[in-house]
Every structure is written in structure tokens, then in C-alpha cells.
Amino acid sequence: MDRLTGTTAGRAPDRSWPRSLTRVPYWVFQDEAVYRAEQDRIFHGPHWSYLCLEAEFAEPGDFCATFIGEQPVLVTRDVDGEVYAFENRCAHRGALIAMADHGKARDFTCVYHAWTYNLQGDLTAVAFAEGVGGKGGMPPNFCLSDHGPRKLRIAVVHGLVFGTLSNDLPDIEEYLGEEILDRIDRVLGGRKPVVLGRFAQRLPNNWKLYAENVRDSYHASILHLFFTTFGINRLSQRGAIIVDESGGHHVSYSAIDRTAVASNEYRDQKIRSDSEYQLADPSLLEGFSEVGDDVTLQILSVYPGFVLQQIQNSVAVRQILPRGTDDTLLNWTYLGFESDTEEQRLVRMKQSNLVGPAGYVSMEDGGIGGFVQRGIAGASDEYATLQMGGDTAESSESRVTEASVRGFWLAYRESMGFVPDDDAPLPEIGKHERTRVVRA
């Protein structure tokens, strides 16, 4: 490539994947064939995807419409009290079975041709199956039980509902591992969540850029001026990064260090911090110990697209859903708990302003992915650099690291089959795809 002109002089773009985890090719955020393959290999593959909260369908007959990747899904609670999930797709002609995001129903009837399904996703009736006046209708050998949307395996962890279309997948406890389970338990264990509010946000970037962002503790106190101005999160605070064995799940946390002295690292490196901005209502940041420890920030991710956050007393879950190579749907659900006092509920409502599409902390994340997507538009044969904190995907006592971002790519390459031996045949992605990948 001519690095002065930025052209490849007619040469086909390079589709090689570097050996090291410290480089990520930009084409992985741009290639339509790769995007389509992700739907099959990741979201319909052997992974547990977050669907919704049990609190969203607490009573028999309640349902929640959600997604695995691009695939619409219905999650229900039947009269037996059990949770079920199946494709939101009529087995007749493919129309949506349910239109509402949430609701209550005794059964579901497709508006197109009135095929009816029970709360477990079984086809129970077909309109005019016997025809009219002895004419028409379904053939004599038509069997209701042979037709229906695909059903999902379901797992519930502290009120979080996960689903998968794969039978070749261990139980959720093994999938998450002890460290991640412990950190979910820290926030949700022993408490019954209550939904305080929801937002849906569209991001003008590939879903993997946001998946990187939530694992990137290195950027948090640099990009988010609010963090450093009000002392919520600085890299000099006590904290750590946890990366699970697969690389795909992570936890980043920081805590108040009551013995720490003032640090000048940000000022000395001329990083914007300690701005002149002040809050008209400083009570926004007045809160309480969330679970009896000094941790005021914990960000937890589960591969491929789930995030559980505790920022001060703002507890929320985020669902990352791909909608195109440069389009992502991000669903936010804000949580309180049945055990909250009235004063605690007020704190949570105030601090909900920290996060979400226009949050004092989170609004920059809604834009930065788009800046990257636009910035790499003419650089499909170039690479991102992930060298901060080394070249491995391991847990770290320092948050000045990109270890958990490297972990995401370790899990991603495994999911996509992008980790063959040097001389092994490469996975088929698309007829125009020329991917060359090597083992880390």
C-alpha cells in the first residue's frame, strides 16, 4: 500500500488476521459476509445470549419480545410458572406472532392467517383447517405438532434470562464460570429486581465496537470528563480487571480508596480532568453503599452481548444487538430492588441520569463508536492496536490495560473459526471472502 496516497493501486484488500491479539483488522467491522456469518456462528451458535429480565414477565401469561442477534424471540411465563422462549415467527408464512414488546396473553394468534400458538410455542389451531363447505383446507396428514417456531433453551441467573438455539452448549454456570457468577451475585444476589425505566438507543457503528468499549477500562476516565471531574473513576483508584478463561466475559471494577492522597497523573500528562463544570444539584452524587463494600463502579460483560453495570447506585443491564455492519441497537433497562427504601429509590432515579443515551457519563460512548466507524472507512486493510498492558487476555490488578478487549477478540476468533493452524484450511465465510487467519 502507498501510505502517502492511501491507495492500494488496484490490489485486492488484505484479509489476513494477525497472529498477535494486539492487532485487530478493521475489515471485521465492515465486511457484510462476516456480519452475516456472525448471525449463524455467534448468535445462533453455541453461546448464551441475554434475552430479558424475569421481572419483565412476572405473572402467568406475561410475555416479553426480544432478540437473539437479528432473530425475534418471545419469552413467556406459562400457567405452570415456568419460563419458555421461542422464535417470534409464525410457522406458516413467517410473520411476527406478537407485535408488542411486552404484554399479557392466554395464547398468540398470527394476524396474517390466524394460526394460534400457546405460551410454550406449540401450534394449537389453524384457521379453516377443515376448509369451507367440504372444500379446501389442510391435507389429512397435516399434524399440528410438526409445525411451530424453533424453541430455545433457557437459563435464569439471579433474574437474568439467557437463551440459546444450540444444544451443544454447557449449562450457564459452566459457561459463565465462578468469578463472573460471583460478580453477578454481588449486584443481584438476594434481591428482587424492579424495572425503573428503559431506553433504546441506535449506534452508528458495528456491534463489536460497543462490545470493545464496555471492556475498555483504559478509556473510561479519559473520554468521560464527568468521571474525573467528580472523582467517580480514575485509573489511580483501587480496582482490577477480571477476564475469564474464554476471554469473552469480563469484569472491571474500582473502589473508593479512603487512604489515598491526591494524584497528579492526569494533570501531569495533560489529560483533561478536574474541569470547571459543577452540578447545579450536587445531591445527584449522594448515595449509599450498594452492597456493603467500597466498590462504586463495576462493569460486567457476558459474551456476546450482555452488560451489567453498577455506577454509584445506578444499576442497569444493557443488551447489545447487531442491526448491520454499521448499525447497533442498544437496549438499556434501569433497575431498583423491592427492598429499596423510598430514599434509595430516589437516589437511583437521580443517578439514572449518569447513564443511557444522554447520560452524563455514557453519552460519549454513544458517539465514539461512530467516530471509529467513520474513521476506518478507507482503511479496511489497516489494523487497530491493542498493546496497553501487554499482549495477553488475562486478569490484571491494573486497569491501565486492554486485556479484556483482547479477551473479546480471543473469544470472537474462536466463535468464528478464525483460529486455524497456519497451514490448516480456512473457514468458509462467503464466496467473496478472502480471510486468512492464524492461531494466536
Side-chain angles (χ1 to χ4, degrees):
M1 177 177 180
D2 184 340
R3 300 207 176 251
L4 293 178
T5 64
T7 65
T8 57
R11 179 167 54 83
D14 180 12
R15 286 292 187 262
S16 62
W17 195 296
R19 180 182 299 274
S20 172
L21 287 173
T22 63
R23 293 210 300 166
V24 175
Y26 286 136
W27 55 259
V28 79
F29 303 109
Q30 303 167 320
D31 195 294
E32 181 65 29
V34 170
Y35 176 79
R36 298 312 325 165
E38 290 169 352
Q39 299 300 313
D40 178 56
R41 299 186 184 189
I42 297 178
F43 297 99
H44 285 196
H47 301 287
W48 286 103
S49 290
Y50 170 75
L51 299 177
C52 56
L53 293 153
E54 270 198 299
E56 297 181 88
F57 57 106
E59 301 296 329
D62 290 349
F63 70 88
C64 176
T66 182
F67 294 87
I68 283 186
E70 293 183 336
Q71 176 63 54
V73 170
L74 280 177
V75 186
T76 67
R77 190 177 298 278
D78 203 352
V79 292
D80 61 3
E82 295 297 317
V83 177
Y84 298 89
F86 48 93
E87 288 181 297
N88 189 0
R89 174 187 60 82
C90 181
H92 179 214
R93 301 279 286 278
L96 291 172
I97 297 172
M99 303 295 181
D101 291 336
H102 300 86
K104 197 174 189 70
R106 293 197 303 182
D107 53 30
F108 300 98
T109 299
C110 177
V111 298
Y112 200 179
H113 299 95
W115 285 34
T116 300
Y117 303 85
N118 64 20
L119 292 169
Q120 298 184 26
D122 302 317
L123 179 64
T124 58
V126 171
F128 300 113
E130 305 296 327
V132 176
K135 297 180 181 180
M138 303 300 287
N141 62 349
F142 180 80
C143 180
L144 293 176
S145 62
D146 291 340
H147 300 270
R150 287 179 292 182
K151 297 183 179 182
L152 281 67
R153 288 174 61 194
I154 288 296
V156 181
V157 179
H158 292 305
L160 305 172
V161 182
F162 292 86
T164 179
L165 286 161
S166 173
N167 290 318
D168 301 322
L169 184 61
D171 291 341
I172 190 72
E173 291 79 11
E174 182 179 347
Y175 182 79
L176 295 175
E178 185 175 346
E179 286 186 302
I180 302 300
L181 281 169
D182 285 348
R183 285 288 169 162
I184 294 175
D185 179 76
R186 177 189 165 272
V187 177
L188 300 179
R191 304 195 285 181
K192 188 172 181 180
V194 175
V195 175
L196 300 182
R198 301 182 182 90
F199 283 103
Q201 181 179 7
R202 293 305 281 261
L203 305 175
N205 52 263
N206 190 276
W207 71 275
K208 298 183 291 297
L209 288 171
Y210 192 79
E212 280 192 326
N213 177 273
V214 298
R215 290 165 171 81
D216 181 358
S217 59
Y218 168 43
H219 87 278
S221 62
I222 299 173
L223 176 65
H224 304 307
L225 185 60
F226 194 93
F227 268 158
T228 49
T229 296
F230 299 102
I232 297 174
N233 181 21
R234 289 173 179 255
L235 291 172
S236 54
Q237 289 175 319
R238 269 190 313 123
I241 296 286
I242 299 170
V243 184
D244 87 305
E245 185 177 351
S246 75
H249 321 316
H250 104 292
V251 180
S252 171
Y253 67 92
S254 63
I256 297 171
D257 192 341
R258 301 185 188 280
T259 64
V261 296
S263 172
N264 295 323
E265 282 114 335
Y266 286 82
R267 185 187 62 194
D268 293 346
Q269 297 188 60
K270 296 181 172 55
I271 294 174
R272 61 181 193 140
S273 63
D274 300 317
S275 73
E276 72 278 9
Y277 296 110
Q278 298 297 319
L279 289 169
D281 181 6
S283 69
L284 173 72
L285 297 179
E286 294 174 3
F288 54 93
S289 179
E290 186 63 46
V291 295
D293 59 21
D294 285 335
V295 173
T296 54
L297 185 144
Q298 177 182 294
I299 305 295
L300 180 151
S301 69
V302 173
Y303 185 84
F306 170 75
V307 182
L308 169 65
Q309 67 153 65
Q310 175 220 334
I311 300 176
Q312 302 286 87
N313 298 119
S314 174
V315 178
V317 296
R318 313 176 201 172
Q319 182 187 33
I320 307 169
L321 295 171
R323 288 295 176 265
T325 56
D326 58 359
D327 187 11
T328 298
L329 175 62
L330 180 61
N331 289 326
W332 299 77
T333 306
Y334 299 84
L335 301 181
F337 299 93
E338 282 192 350
S339 58
D340 287 344
T341 66
E342 185 176 343
E343 292 76 13
Q344 289 173 331
R345 183 63 54 82
L346 179 59
V347 168
R348 295 196 194 283
M349 295 300 290
K350 281 186 175 182
Q351 292 187 2
S352 67
N353 290 288
L354 296 176
V355 295
Y360 292 131
V361 173
S362 300
M363 62 180 173
E364 294 94 346
D365 289 330
I368 198 66
F371 297 163
V372 175
Q373 195 78 41
R374 289 157 58 189
I376 67 175
S380 61
D381 56 350
E382 295 286 347
Y383 302 86
T385 298
L386 301 174
Q387 298 183 68
M388 185 61 69
D391 58 3
T392 64
E394 299 175 344
S395 300
S396 168
E397 292 183 358
S398 171
R399 291 178 296 129
V400 191
T401 180
E402 292 167 317
S404 44
V405 183
R406 292 189 291 268
F408 171 81
W409 291 110
L410 179 65
Y412 177 84
R413 299 194 313 186
E414 181 69 26
S415 301
M416 293 293 288
F418 282 175
V419 286
D421 292 327
D422 287 1
D423 299 323
L426 298 175
E428 292 294 329
I429 294 295
K431 64 181 181 178
H432 300 302
E433 182 57 41
R434 294 181 291 277
T435 306
R436 188 192 190 308
V437 291
V438 294
R439 187 178 301 279

